[in-house]
């Protein structure tokens, strides 16, 4: 009997079921965002999603701060209201960590060969990271043990000019220039982590900015049977919300991202095919489990 119990325990570890993180509930959050519609700054669907995230944060967090700013739209050459949403646990504790993702979506599918002027549904690029953070909300106090935690939903990440770094990551840039104390000492950004064929290599900016944090996460992933997802190979160098957090805010932050978002050799990123059908609750749970397990070790 003891051998059977030990075997079952090992199987549970191998399958990554170490936390109460519910991948199917997270996937429902992903689907809900896509059903709302494109979350483009300046649209009604963007405001509906904002209010949904704020309600969820207020249900669990000690403090919720909505940091409003104006984002620049390079195509229309004007500004639009935007909001970073910051859910704080144990806000009085100066020892803090940050988990973050962007919740907006790209206004146009500029990499779609058929519909380049249509908005991106953003199931993976936007909804997946947001869904993981939303499912993490009810579990933070169980794993933080009094450590300060910020869950941050960045806005206006995807308004930029393709092929450049210009006007991307406006929400994290604004926060980094307008820090809200107490400030986290380290952070983990998640982006495009819903892919059903999830593979997360080491993003190159992350390995330069915070190599020790990279080592912690990858070792934890291997320990809990997720070595096939968290691959110890170099990935792309990506300009994402972690860059202003590192350069401007001086918060060592890494980016967990699967930038190879394709099916049958066809790119899905920044196209109208960024849909829930190509995402998986198991991918969301894999990432959510690792984040909570890492939090517990802090």
């Amino acid at each position: 009997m003891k051998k059977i119990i030990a075997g079952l325990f090992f199987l549970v570890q191998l399958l990554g079921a170490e936390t109460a993180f519910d991948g199917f509930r997270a996937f429902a959050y992903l689907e809900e965002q896509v059903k709302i519609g494109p979350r483009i700054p300046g649209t009604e669907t963007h405001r509906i999603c904002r209010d949904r995230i704020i309600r969820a944060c207020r249900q669990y967090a000690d403090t919720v701060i909505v940091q409003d700013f104006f984002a620049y739209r390079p195509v229309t050459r004007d500004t639009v209201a935007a909001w970073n949403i910051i859910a704080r646990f144990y806000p009085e504790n100066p020892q803090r960590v940050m988990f973050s993702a962007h919740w907006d979506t790209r206004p146009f599918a500029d990499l779609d060969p058929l519909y380049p002027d249509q908005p991106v549904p953003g199931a993976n690029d936007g909804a997946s990271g947001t869904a993981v953070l939303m499912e993490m909300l009810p579990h933070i106090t169980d794993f933080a043990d009094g450590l300060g935690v910020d869950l941050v939903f960045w806005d206006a990440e995807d308004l930029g000019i393709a092929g450049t770094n210009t006007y991307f990551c406006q929400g994290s840039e604004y926060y980094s220039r307008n820090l809200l104390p107490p400030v986290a000492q380290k952070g983990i950004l998640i982006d495009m982590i819903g892919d059903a064929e999830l593979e997360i290599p080491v993003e190159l900016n992350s390995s330069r900015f915070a190599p020790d944090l990279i080592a912690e996460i990858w070792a934890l992933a291997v320990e809990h049977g997720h070595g096939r997802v968290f691959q110890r190979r170099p990935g792309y160098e990506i300009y994402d919300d972690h860059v202003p957090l590192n350069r401007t805010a001086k918060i060592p932050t890494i980016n967990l991202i699967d930038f190879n978002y394709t099916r049958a050799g066809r790119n899905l990123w920044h196209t109208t095919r960024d849909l829930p059908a190509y995402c998986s609750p198991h991918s969301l749970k894999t990432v959510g489990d690792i984040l909570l397990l890492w939090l517990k070790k802090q």
Side-chain angles (χ1 to χ4, degrees), residues 15-160:
L15 294 177
E18 305 89 346
T19 79
F21 187 99
D22 189 331
F24 290 96
R25 186 163 56 195
F27 192 77
Y29 293 144
L30 181 154
E31 291 181 309
E32 180 184 7
Q33 291 171 79
V34 176
K35 186 176 180 180
I36 287 171
R39 284 79 67 206
I40 304 166
T43 64
E44 180 61 24
T45 48
H46 180 256
R47 289 185 287 271
I48 291 171
C49 188
R50 174 202 63 186
D51 293 343
R52 172 69 182 88
I53 295 171
I54 292 172
R55 283 196 302 270
C57 290
R58 286 177 174 165
Q59 185 177 354
Y60 296 104
D62 296 317
T63 303
V64 178
I65 300 171
V66 180
Q67 188 182 46
D68 59 293
F69 63 99
F70 285 97
Y72 181 70
R73 297 187 289 190
V75 173
T76 52
R77 298 183 180 181
D78 60 1
T79 60
V80 64
W83 299 272
N84 293 327
I85 303 164
I86 304 161
R88 311 200 91 169
F89 295 80
Y90 307 107
E92 72 288 344
N93 191 342
Q95 301 300 314
R96 314 192 64 74
V97 297
M98 174 190 287
F99 301 102
S100 66
H102 78 91
W103 64 277
D104 63 305
T105 54
R106 191 149 179 81
F108 37 80
D110 44 317
L111 295 183
D112 194 310
L114 298 179
Y115 309 104
D117 297 325
Q118 293 296 309
V120 174
N124 192 25
D125 191 5
S128 67
T130 298
V132 167
L133 294 190
M134 291 178 71
E135 172 56 20
M136 286 176 67
L137 283 166
H139 306 297
I140 293 297
T141 54
D142 293 333
F143 286 83
D145 194 26
L147 176 68
V149 178
D150 294 333
L151 264 61
V152 186
F153 302 80
W154 307 117
D155 201 357
E157 187 268 355
D158 225 347
L159 289 176

Side-chain angles (χ1 to χ4, degrees), residues 73-291:
R73 297 187 289 190
V75 173
T76 52
R77 298 183 180 181
D78 60 1
T79 60
V80 64
W83 299 272
N84 293 327
I85 303 164
I86 304 161
R88 311 200 91 169
F89 295 80
Y90 307 107
E92 72 288 344
N93 191 342
Q95 301 300 314
R96 314 192 64 74
V97 297
M98 174 190 287
F99 301 102
S100 66
H102 78 91
W103 64 277
D104 63 305
T105 54
R106 191 149 179 81
F108 37 80
D110 44 317
L111 295 183
D112 194 310
L114 298 179
Y115 309 104
D117 297 325
Q118 293 296 309
V120 174
N124 192 25
D125 191 5
S128 67
T130 298
V132 167
L133 294 190
M134 291 178 71
E135 172 56 20
M136 286 176 67
L137 283 166
H139 306 297
I140 293 297
T141 54
D142 293 333
F143 286 83
D145 194 26
L147 176 68
V149 178
D150 294 333
L151 264 61
V152 186
F153 302 80
W154 307 117
D155 201 357
E157 187 268 355
D158 225 347
L159 289 176
I161 300 172
T164 75
N165 296 335
T166 310
Y167 304 119
F168 286 99
C169 305
Q170 294 187 52
S172 55
E173 181 64 50
Y174 182 85
Y175 172 86
S176 297
R177 289 184 281 105
N178 299 271
L179 293 172
L180 302 174
V183 179
Q185 287 80 53
K186 60 179 94 172
I188 300 174
L189 170 71
I190 55 175
D191 193 2
M192 296 174 64
I193 44 74
D195 189 349
E197 299 176 358
L198 188 63
E199 294 181 350
I200 304 176
V202 178
E203 191 274 323
L204 295 184
N205 278 322
S206 301
S207 63
R208 285 194 289 267
F209 287 134
D212 292 344
L213 187 48
I214 286 284
E216 289 178 27
I217 291 294
W218 262 253
L220 189 64
V222 170
E223 177 187 347
H224 290 273
H226 297 307
R228 290 185 179 179
V229 171
F230 289 80
Q231 300 184 0
R232 294 181 183 271
R233 60 179 175 85
Y236 294 98
E237 178 180 296
I238 299 172
Y239 185 86
D240 209 339
D241 287 308
H242 65 313
V243 175
L245 291 172
N246 279 285
R247 289 179 178 170
T248 306
K250 307 303 181 185
I251 302 171
T253 304
I254 64 172
N255 186 13
L256 306 185
I257 184 168
D258 178 0
F259 200 63
N260 186 32
Y261 185 38
T262 62
R263 284 300 180 281
R266 296 177 61 186
N267 170 58
L268 304 177
W269 176 61
H270 285 187
T271 74
T272 57
R273 300 178 74 229
D274 183 3
L275 298 166
Y278 300 108
C279 298
S280 165
H282 302 291
S283 298
L284 303 180
K285 178 169 174 56
T286 295
V287 174
D289 278 346
I290 292 301
L291 295 183

